[in-house]
Amino acid sequence: MARVPPPLPFSVQEEIFRRFEAAEPEPEGELEHVNAYTLVVAVALSAQATDAGVNKATRALFAIADTPAKMLALGEAGLLEHIKSIGLFRNKAKNVIALSRILVEEHGGEVPSSRAALQALPGVGRKTANVVLQMWFGHPAQAVDTHVFRVANRTRIAPGKDVEAVERAIEDNVPVRYQRHSHHWLILHGRYTCVARKPKCPACLIHDLCPYPEKTEAA
């Protein structure tokens, strides 16, 4: 098994995130939501789906069902009509109805602010819980998706063999003052610049600090 390389030195990490912050001081997620509940639903629906596709499906949905009680009133059949364009929509609909019922019955209709309580909801894994904790509650939680995993390993900002190892590496190596927004900076960098097949190295604002060995020739 290949050895995980060491993370970049702290001084380099500091400069990388200084540049990210200078370019976009307040990065935001691209999933549309109006409250903590709709954020939970949107993130749960986004698994194996694009943010754009989820947003297209949820605009009309959230206009009529923006609380757990309203979602339960809409029912699974009504929900299916709104999200049938999203991958795995049948299973996701069951989870949304189930998590809505738990929120009503066990949390007074409110979204809990603890990772354990969030992960106890159907269809909510660690990544979804971390997104909600970071975006809504302001916790420096590190949600590691495919973009974050790729950027963290390519750049050696936070190398790790799996998503939990990368999550820990971000917490251990990214300067604390940047951890509130590091998740979004890494996602956006991976989504638009450090893309999977042909990273846009010439346009990369951290190109000179990145040890990635397969930079494009134009860079």
Side-chain angles (χ1 to χ4, degrees):
M1 186 176 293
R3 184 179 65 86
V4 175
L8 294 174
F10 181 82
S11 59
V12 179
Q13 303 266 16
E14 181 80 31
E15 176 61 16
I16 284 174
F17 285 95
R18 185 197 67 77
R19 294 184 191 181
F20 282 153
E21 183 180 56
E24 193 159 8
E26 295 291 332
E28 296 181 352
E30 296 182 329
L31 283 173
E32 297 173 6
H33 58 283
V34 297
N35 54 30
Y37 171 70
T38 54
L39 177 59
V40 171
V41 173
V43 180
L45 293 176
S46 71
Q48 300 183 49
T50 65
D51 287 0
V54 172
N55 290 339
K56 184 176 180 181
T58 57
R59 286 177 190 130
L61 171 64
F62 292 159
I64 60 172
D66 60 355
T67 69
K70 290 178 182 178
M71 191 68 74
L72 291 174
L74 177 64
E76 187 174 329
L79 174 57
L80 283 169
E81 287 302 308
H82 285 277
I83 67 170
K84 59 187 178 182
S85 61
I86 300 174
L88 306 175
F89 67 96
R90 294 188 187 279
N91 188 56
K92 290 177 180 178
K94 292 181 186 297
N95 285 335
V96 168
I97 294 300
L99 72 84
S100 299
R101 184 169 291 109
I102 291 173
L103 289 175
V104 168
E105 295 176 354
E106 299 182 15
H107 299 282
E110 299 295 323
V111 174
S113 60
S114 83
R115 181 182 287 111
L118 286 167
Q119 286 188 245
L121 299 173
V124 176
R126 187 177 181 87
K127 185 188 79 171
T128 298
N130 281 347
V131 171
V132 174
L133 290 172
Q134 193 278 331
M135 289 183 63
W136 191 261
F137 295 105
H139 297 179
Q142 306 302 331
V144 179
D145 67 357
T146 55
H147 299 299
V148 174
F149 187 82
R150 179 174 65 253
V151 172
N153 277 288
R154 271 185 181 172
T155 62
R156 284 180 33 213
I157 287 172
K161 293 180 180 179
D162 54 46
V163 293
E164 289 198 16
V166 169
E167 180 182 330
R168 291 194 299 271
I170 293 173
E171 294 171 348
D172 290 343
N173 296 293
V174 172
V176 172
R177 69 179 294 259
Y178 296 114
Q179 289 200 15
R180 167 77 189 280
H181 294 307
S182 57
H183 156 71
H184 278 131
W185 283 319
L186 293 173
I187 281 182
L188 295 172
H189 192 63
R191 184 172 290 166
Y192 297 111
T193 303
C194 196
V195 295
R197 294 186 178 179
K198 191 176 181 181
K200 302 173 184 178
C201 297
C204 176
L205 79 165
I206 62 168
H207 172 262
D208 58 312
L209 303 173
C210 175
Y212 182 52
E214 300 176 27
K215 295 175 183 178
T216 58
E217 185 176 350

